[in-house]
Amino acid sequence: MPVTLDPGATRLATLEAIWRDGVSAGLAPDARGAVDQAAQVVQKAAQGGAPIYGVNTGFGKLASVRISPEDTETLQRNLILSHCCGVGAGLEVDTTRLMMALKLLSLGRGASGVRWDICALLEGMLGADVTPVIPAQGSVGASGDLAPLAHLAAVMIGEGEAWHKGTRMPGGAVLEQAGLAPVVLGPKEGLALINGTQFSTACALAALFDAMRMLRACVVTSALSTDAIMGSTQPLQPAIHALRGQPGQIDVARAMSDLMAGSEIRESHREDDPRVQDPYCIRCQPQVAGAALDLLRFAAQTLEIEANAVTDNPLVTDAGILSGGNFHAEPVGFAADQIALALAEIGAIAQRRVALMVDPTLSFDLPPFLTPEPGLNSGFMIAEVTTAALMSENKHLANPCTTDSTPTSANQEDHVSMAAHGARRLKRMNANLSVILGVEALCAGQGVEARAPLQTSNSLQYALATLRDAVPALGADRYMAPDLEAAAGLIRSDALAQSAGVDVTL
C-alpha cells in the first residue's frame, strides 16, 4: 500500500516504512498547486533578462556565464551528465528508494521550481520498482550531494543505470520496460535534482533506524548480563535517575528494571552479598545507554526536519528567486557524528560486560570463559576478542567527519560538511555493534543458565528462548562463526528486544 508524503510534515515512521518495508510513496495531491506555481515563476525568469543562478547562468564558479533560452535544455542535460562522477560500490536499493522519497518531499514543498512531471516520474519510478544505481562515493556534502543525486537524475533523462525487479539495466531501457518516459529537463530542473542533502540524509536515517534497534537490544543484553553475574538492581532505582533528570537515562533504567522484575536470580543475593557495588559496565548502563538514547533522539529530530526541508538552490520564495546555501549538509553531518558516538559507546560498555562474564575473577563464580570444561574447551574466549576488535574499529570510525572540511570547485565551495561519508560509515558501525551485542546475549544467556535452578525474570526468559531457538547453549567447543552471525541477526531484526517487550522509542 503506497504511503502519502506530506511535504513539510512527514514523520520518521513513514520514512522507515519506505526504507524497511519497500512500500512505494507519492506526494499528497494538494502539493501540486505550489509546485506548479513555482515552476511558472522559473519559466518566466528563464525568459527574462536578469541573471538568475542556475536558471540562465552556468553553475558554481561558472555562474557568471550567461546562457541563452534556446540552450536551457542542453545546459540542464549537460549538468546531469557532467556530475555523474560517483565511484565505488552502489548504494543499497532500500536506501536509494528512501533517497528518492526524500527528493520528492523536497520538490513537493513548491520552492524548487520544477514541473509536476518531475515529481510524477519519481513517483512512477518508486511505484514500478525502478531504482537508479547510485555509486556511494563522491559527495562532500555541499553543494549538496551532487554526484549521487546526478546518478539518480541520469536515469530520469534516460541515461545511467538502474535496477528493475532485480535486474541491472541501462536507464533508458529500464524506463521503457516499466512503462515510463524519460523527461526533458527545463530551466533549473537539473539543478533542483542534484542540489540537496537527500543522499546524506537517507544514509543517516537508515543508520538511525537500525541504531534504535541496537539501543533496544542493549537494554535486553545488559539486563541479562546483570543477572548472569548476579549484579545488583539497586542502581536502577527511579529515585537515582530522577535526581539527575536526564530523560534517556530515566527511560533506560525503567526499561531494565521492568525486564528484571521477578528474577529469582536477583532475589537470591539481596542479602549478605559480599560485593558492595558492581563494576561500571553493570552499574552505569542507564547513564551510558541513556546518554546514547538522548543523542539518537536529538539526531532524529534534526533528520526529521531535514527530511522535510528544501535544500536545493536557488529557491522560489515570496520574496523572489533567492540564492542561498541550504544544500550545505552540516546539520546532517552533525547528526551522523552524534549517531556514531552513540553506537561506539553502546558497544564499548557492552564489550566490557562480555569481558566481565568470561573472566572468572570478576564473574561471581561463573565458569572460566563460560564453558563447562575449561582447559579442554575455550568457550567464549575468542568471541570476546572479536568483540574487542569490533569495539576498537567502531571507536576509530566514530571520529568526527564534519571537522574534516576541504575546499572544492575552484574554492567556490570552500567549506563542506563531509556528511555523506559521515552517514555512510554508520552502516558498518551498526553491523559491528550487532555482533558485539549478539555475543553479549550469548554470554549472558550462558551465564544465566549456569545459575539454574534459579530462573531469571519472565521477560528475560522470553528473550532467552528466542536466543536458544537460533543458537543452542554452548557445551563442548564447536565452530563458532555461525553462532555469532545468528545472534547478531536477532539484534538486527529487533527479534530479541521484541521478545522481551522492550518499548524504548525515539
Side-chain angles (χ1 to χ4, degrees), residues 419-459:
H421 70 262
R424 281 290 290 159
R425 66 167 161 175
L426 299 175
K427 179 179 176 66
R428 182 175 163 192
M429 293 185 71
N430 269 316
N432 288 344
L433 180 52
S434 72
V435 176
I436 296 172
L437 295 174
V439 172
E440 183 185 8
L442 292 173
C443 291
Q446 194 90 352
V448 164
E449 288 166 342
R451 302 298 182 186
L454 297 174
Q455 297 288 314
T456 189
S457 68
N458 287 337
S459 294

Tab-separated table of all heavy atoms in Angstrom, residues 419-459:
chain	number	residue	atom	x	y	z
A	419	ALA	N	29.177	15.252	5.155
A	419	ALA	CA	28.057	14.490	5.716
A	419	ALA	C	27.864	13.148	5.028
A	419	ALA	O	27.395	12.188	5.648
A	419	ALA	CB	26.767	15.304	5.611
A	420	ALA	N	28.228	13.058	3.757
A	420	ALA	CA	27.944	11.831	3.009
A	420	ALA	C	28.695	10.640	3.575
A	420	ALA	O	28.104	9.608	3.904
A	420	ALA	CB	28.280	12.022	1.528
A	421	HIS	N	30.025	10.761	3.693
A	421	HIS	CA	30.727	9.598	4.248
A	421	HIS	C	30.560	9.521	5.756
A	421	HIS	O	30.675	8.451	6.349
A	421	HIS	CB	32.196	9.539	3.809
A	421	HIS	CG	33.102	10.567	4.387
A	421	HIS	ND1	33.439	11.713	3.727
A	421	HIS	CD2	33.766	10.599	5.560
A	421	HIS	CE1	34.272	12.425	4.463
A	421	HIS	NE2	34.492	11.782	5.578
A	422	GLY	N	30.236	10.639	6.391
A	422	GLY	CA	29.893	10.573	7.807
A	422	GLY	C	28.668	9.720	8.053
A	422	GLY	O	28.582	8.982	9.041
A	423	ALA	N	27.701	9.803	7.148
A	423	ALA	CA	26.494	8.988	7.268
A	423	ALA	C	26.718	7.566	6.780
A	423	ALA	O	26.210	6.609	7.376
A	423	ALA	CB	25.355	9.645	6.482
A	424	ARG	N	27.488	7.390	5.719
A	424	ARG	CA	27.705	6.059	5.163
A	424	ARG	C	28.436	5.129	6.129
A	424	ARG	O	28.162	3.943	6.188
A	424	ARG	CB	28.508	6.152	3.866
A	424	ARG	CG	27.708	6.551	2.664
A	424	ARG	CD	26.757	5.465	2.218
A	424	ARG	NE	27.431	4.311	1.647
A	424	ARG	CZ	26.891	3.095	1.553
A	424	ARG	NH1	25.674	2.884	1.999
A	424	ARG	NH2	27.555	2.105	1.014
A	425	ARG	N	29.388	5.654	6.897
A	425	ARG	CA	30.154	4.779	7.804
A	425	ARG	C	29.271	4.151	8.876
A	425	ARG	O	29.631	3.158	9.506
A	425	ARG	CB	31.254	5.583	8.485
A	425	ARG	CG	30.598	6.618	9.393
A	425	ARG	CD	31.424	7.319	10.354
A	425	ARG	NE	30.655	8.512	10.730
A	425	ARG	CZ	31.006	9.364	11.631
A	425	ARG	NH1	32.132	9.227	12.249
A	425	ARG	NH2	30.257	10.394	11.921
A	426	LEU	N	28.088	4.739	9.122
A	426	LEU	CA	27.233	4.265	10.202
A	426	LEU	C	26.692	2.866	9.935
A	426	LEU	O	26.440	2.110	10.883
A	426	LEU	CB	26.083	5.246	10.431
A	426	LEU	CG	26.494	6.670	10.835
A	426	LEU	CD1	25.269	7.579	10.904
A	426	LEU	CD2	27.251	6.677	12.157
A	427	LYS	N	26.521	2.511	8.685
A	427	LYS	CA	26.068	1.163	8.354
A	427	LYS	C	27.071	0.131	8.868
A	427	LYS	O	26.691	-0.876	9.467
A	427	LYS	CB	25.873	1.022	6.846
A	427	LYS	CG	25.418	-0.363	6.399
A	427	LYS	CD	25.226	-0.417	4.888
A	427	LYS	CE	24.866	-1.824	4.428
A	427	LYS	NZ	23.543	-2.266	4.931
A	428	ARG	N	28.333	0.394	8.635
A	428	ARG	CA	29.393	-0.505	9.127
A	428	ARG	C	29.422	-0.545	10.650
A	428	ARG	O	29.595	-1.599	11.255
A	428	ARG	CB	30.729	-0.029	8.564
A	428	ARG	CG	31.950	-0.858	8.927
A	428	ARG	CD	33.132	-0.298	8.164
A	428	ARG	NE	34.411	-0.733	8.717
A	428	ARG	CZ	35.582	-0.192	8.378
A	428	ARG	NH1	35.617	0.800	7.500
A	428	ARG	NH2	36.705	-0.633	8.936
A	429	MET	N	29.221	0.600	11.273
A	429	MET	CA	29.232	0.646	12.731
A	429	MET	C	28.061	-0.139	13.319
A	429	MET	O	28.213	-0.845	14.321
A	429	MET	CB	29.206	2.091	13.218
A	429	MET	CG	30.457	2.882	12.892
A	429	MET	SD	30.445	4.545	13.617
A	429	MET	CE	30.664	4.150	15.361
A	430	ASN	N	26.882	-0.005	12.713
A	430	ASN	CA	25.729	-0.783	13.182
A	430	ASN	C	25.985	-2.279	13.047
A	430	ASN	O	25.631	-3.063	13.938
A	430	ASN	CB	24.481	-0.396	12.390
A	430	ASN	CG	23.694	0.734	13.025
A	430	ASN	OD1	23.480	0.757	14.228
A	430	ASN	ND2	23.246	1.673	12.208
A	431	ALA	N	26.592	-2.680	11.928
A	431	ALA	CA	26.894	-4.097	11.733
A	431	ALA	C	27.861	-4.595	12.801
A	431	ALA	O	27.670	-5.682	13.376
A	431	ALA	CB	27.470	-4.317	10.331
A	432	ASN	N	28.885	-3.821	13.088
A	432	ASN	CA	29.836	-4.203	14.133
A	432	ASN	C	29.145	-4.314	15.490
A	432	ASN	O	29.370	-5.268	16.252
A	432	ASN	CB	30.960	-3.170	14.229
A	432	ASN	CG	31.920	-3.216	13.060
A	432	ASN	OD1	31.951	-4.188	12.295
A	432	ASN	ND2	32.710	-2.176	12.883
A	433	LEU	N	28.312	-3.331	15.793
A	433	LEU	CA	27.648	-3.323	17.097
A	433	LEU	C	26.687	-4.495	17.237
A	433	LEU	O	26.547	-5.063	18.333
A	433	LEU	CB	26.915	-1.999	17.295
A	433	LEU	CG	26.167	-1.819	18.618
A	433	LEU	CD1	27.065	-2.101	19.822
A	433	LEU	CD2	25.559	-0.425	18.705
A	434	SER	N	26.040	-4.888	16.161
A	434	SER	CA	25.113	-6.025	16.257
A	434	SER	C	25.848	-7.295	16.671
A	434	SER	O	25.294	-8.128	17.397
A	434	SER	CB	24.383	-6.233	14.923
A	434	SER	OG	25.242	-6.753	13.921
A	435	VAL	N	27.079	-7.447	16.238
A	435	VAL	CA	27.866	-8.621	16.637
A	435	VAL	C	28.269	-8.515	18.103
A	435	VAL	O	28.173	-9.494	18.861
A	435	VAL	CB	29.104	-8.781	15.740
A	435	VAL	CG1	29.967	-9.956	16.222
A	435	VAL	CG2	28.693	-8.999	14.293
A	436	ILE	N	28.712	-7.332	18.520
A	436	ILE	CA	29.075	-7.152	19.939
A	436	ILE	C	27.898	-7.508	20.842
A	436	ILE	O	28.041	-8.263	21.817
A	436	ILE	CB	29.538	-5.706	20.204
A	436	ILE	CG1	30.822	-5.396	19.428
A	436	ILE	CG2	29.768	-5.477	21.708
A	436	ILE	CD1	31.230	-3.923	19.487
A	437	LEU	N	26.727	-6.979	20.511
A	437	LEU	CA	25.549	-7.245	21.337
A	437	LEU	C	25.089	-8.688	21.203
A	437	LEU	O	24.587	-9.278	22.174
A	437	LEU	CB	24.417	-6.295	20.954
A	437	LEU	CG	24.685	-4.809	21.236
A	437	LEU	CD1	23.567	-3.945	20.679
A	437	LEU	CD2	24.864	-4.558	22.727
A	438	GLY	N	25.269	-9.271	20.028
A	438	GLY	CA	24.935	-10.682	19.860
A	438	GLY	C	25.800	-11.569	20.729
A	438	GLY	O	25.305	-12.512	21.370
A	439	VAL	N	27.089	-11.274	20.775
A	439	VAL	CA	27.994	-12.047	21.649
A	439	VAL	C	27.635	-11.816	23.105
A	439	VAL	O	27.655	-12.752	23.919
A	439	VAL	CB	29.456	-11.670	21.369
A	439	VAL	CG1	30.392	-12.313	22.405
A	439	VAL	CG2	29.861	-12.109	19.961
A	440	GLU	N	27.293	-10.584	23.470
A	440	GLU	CA	26.873	-10.348	24.854
A	440	GLU	C	25.645	-11.182	25.188
A	440	GLU	O	25.557	-11.771	26.284
A	440	GLU	CB	26.573	-8.870	25.101
A	440	GLU	CG	26.214	-8.630	26.569
A	440	GLU	CD	25.790	-7.207	26.907
A	440	GLU	OE1	25.621	-6.381	25.988
A	440	GLU	OE2	25.613	-6.927	28.117
A	441	ALA	N	24.692	-11.261	24.259
A	441	ALA	CA	23.496	-12.074	24.503
A	441	ALA	C	23.878	-13.541	24.703
A	441	ALA	O	23.349	-14.217	25.603
A	441	ALA	CB	22.521	-11.930	23.341
A	442	LEU	N	24.787	-14.050	23.886
A	442	LEU	CA	25.218	-15.444	24.022
A	442	LEU	C	25.894	-15.688	25.367
A	442	LEU	O	25.611	-16.680	26.054
A	442	LEU	CB	26.172	-15.810	22.883
A	442	LEU	CG	25.569	-15.876	21.480
A	442	LEU	CD1	26.668	-16.076	20.442
A	442	LEU	CD2	24.538	-17.007	21.388
A	443	CYS	N	26.785	-14.789	25.751
A	443	CYS	CA	27.489	-14.947	27.029
A	443	CYS	C	26.523	-14.817	28.205
A	443	CYS	O	26.576	-15.601	29.164
A	443	CYS	CB	28.610	-13.910	27.148
A	443	CYS	SG	29.999	-14.165	26.031
A	444	ALA	N	25.655	-13.830	28.131
A	444	ALA	CA	24.715	-13.615	29.230
A	444	ALA	C	23.739	-14.771	29.342
A	444	ALA	O	23.399	-15.220	30.454
A	444	ALA	CB	23.964	-12.303	29.014
A	445	GLY	N	23.273	-15.281	28.201
A	445	GLY	CA	22.386	-16.441	28.239
A	445	GLY	C	23.066	-17.649	28.861
A	445	GLY	O	22.469	-18.360	29.682
A	446	GLN	N	24.326	-17.868	28.483
A	446	GLN	CA	25.098	-18.974	29.058
A	446	GLN	C	25.262	-18.782	30.560
A	446	GLN	O	25.156	-19.742	31.349
A	446	GLN	CB	26.473	-19.032	28.381
A	446	GLN	CG	27.247	-20.297	28.626
A	446	GLN	CD	26.984	-21.376	27.590
A	446	GLN	OE1	26.099	-21.233	26.748
A	446	GLN	NE2	27.736	-22.455	27.661
A	447	GLY	N	25.503	-17.534	30.973
A	447	GLY	CA	25.680	-17.258	32.392
A	447	GLY	C	24.403	-17.431	33.193
A	447	GLY	O	24.416	-17.999	34.294
A	448	VAL	N	23.293	-16.947	32.649
A	448	VAL	CA	22.002	-17.102	33.335
A	448	VAL	C	21.661	-18.580	33.485
A	448	VAL	O	21.182	-19.032	34.554
A	448	VAL	CB	20.900	-16.335	32.564
A	448	VAL	CG1	19.509	-16.782	33.010
A	448	VAL	CG2	21.052	-14.831	32.763
A	449	GLU	N	21.899	-19.362	32.452
A	449	GLU	CA	21.606	-20.797	32.520
A	449	GLU	C	22.502	-21.512	33.525
A	449	GLU	O	22.092	-22.522	34.126
A	449	GLU	CB	21.749	-21.412	31.127
A	449	GLU	CG	20.617	-20.991	30.187
A	449	GLU	CD	20.903	-21.290	28.730
A	449	GLU	OE1	22.091	-21.503	28.374
A	449	GLU	OE2	19.949	-21.289	27.928
A	450	ALA	N	23.685	-20.970	33.744
A	450	ALA	CA	24.585	-21.568	34.744
A	450	ALA	C	24.084	-21.346	36.163
A	450	ALA	O	24.571	-22.000	37.101
A	450	ALA	CB	25.993	-20.991	34.592
A	451	ARG	N	23.140	-20.432	36.347
A	451	ARG	CA	22.591	-20.159	37.687
A	451	ARG	C	21.427	-21.102	38.027
A	451	ARG	O	20.829	-20.967	39.093
A	451	ARG	CB	22.104	-18.709	37.764
A	451	ARG	CG	23.169	-17.653	37.467
A	451	ARG	CD	24.317	-17.682	38.446
A	451	ARG	NE	25.305	-16.629	38.151
A	451	ARG	CZ	26.463	-16.501	38.775
A	451	ARG	NH1	26.794	-17.371	39.726
A	451	ARG	NH2	27.301	-15.536	38.462
A	452	ALA	N	21.065	-22.002	37.135
A	452	ALA	CA	19.965	-22.938	37.414
A	452	ALA	C	20.241	-23.699	38.716
A	452	ALA	O	21.403	-23.968	39.055
A	452	ALA	CB	19.808	-23.897	36.246
A	453	PRO	N	19.229	-24.015	39.509
A	453	PRO	CA	17.799	-23.961	39.158
A	453	PRO	C	17.154	-22.579	39.304
A	453	PRO	O	15.960	-22.437	39.057
A	453	PRO	CB	17.171	-24.940	40.152
A	453	PRO	CG	18.044	-24.829	41.360
A	453	PRO	CD	19.444	-24.640	40.830
A	454	LEU	N	17.945	-21.588	39.739
A	454	LEU	CA	17.378	-20.239	39.791
A	454	LEU	C	17.040	-19.759	38.391
A	454	LEU	O	17.774	-20.015	37.439
A	454	LEU	CB	18.370	-19.278	40.445
A	454	LEU	CG	18.735	-19.556	41.905
A	454	LEU	CD1	19.830	-18.614	42.364
A	454	LEU	CD2	17.490	-19.428	42.793
A	455	GLN	N	15.916	-19.043	38.264
A	455	GLN	CA	15.455	-18.557	36.970
A	455	GLN	C	15.543	-17.038	36.910
A	455	GLN	O	15.385	-16.344	37.925
A	455	GLN	CB	13.997	-18.969	36.727
A	455	GLN	CG	13.775	-20.468	36.655
A	455	GLN	CD	14.328	-21.047	35.361
A	455	GLN	OE1	14.110	-20.508	34.278
A	455	GLN	NE2	15.064	-22.143	35.472
A	456	THR	N	15.781	-16.532	35.724
A	456	THR	CA	15.701	-15.096	35.515
A	456	THR	C	14.228	-14.688	35.408
A	456	THR	O	13.321	-15.520	35.580
A	456	THR	CB	16.496	-14.679	34.261
A	456	THR	OG1	16.564	-13.245	34.198
A	456	THR	CG2	15.880	-15.222	32.984
A	457	SER	N	13.961	-13.434	35.118
A	457	SER	CA	12.587	-12.927	35.052
A	457	SER	C	11.847	-13.518	33.858
A	457	SER	O	12.450	-14.050	32.921
A	457	SER	CB	12.600	-11.407	34.925
A	457	SER	OG	13.130	-11.033	33.662
A	458	ASN	N	10.536	-13.394	33.872
A	458	ASN	CA	9.734	-13.888	32.752
A	458	ASN	C	10.115	-13.210	31.434
A	458	ASN	O	10.247	-13.863	30.396
A	458	ASN	CB	8.242	-13.679	33.027
A	458	ASN	CG	7.705	-14.631	34.071
A	458	ASN	OD1	8.267	-15.698	34.298
A	458	ASN	ND2	6.627	-14.236	34.723
A	459	SER	N	10.279	-11.886	31.474
A	459	SER	CA	10.615	-11.151	30.248
A	459	SER	C	11.939	-11.637	29.676
A	459	SER	O	12.076	-11.842	28.457
A	459	SER	CB	10.686	-9.653	30.532
A	459	SER	OG	9.417	-9.143	30.878
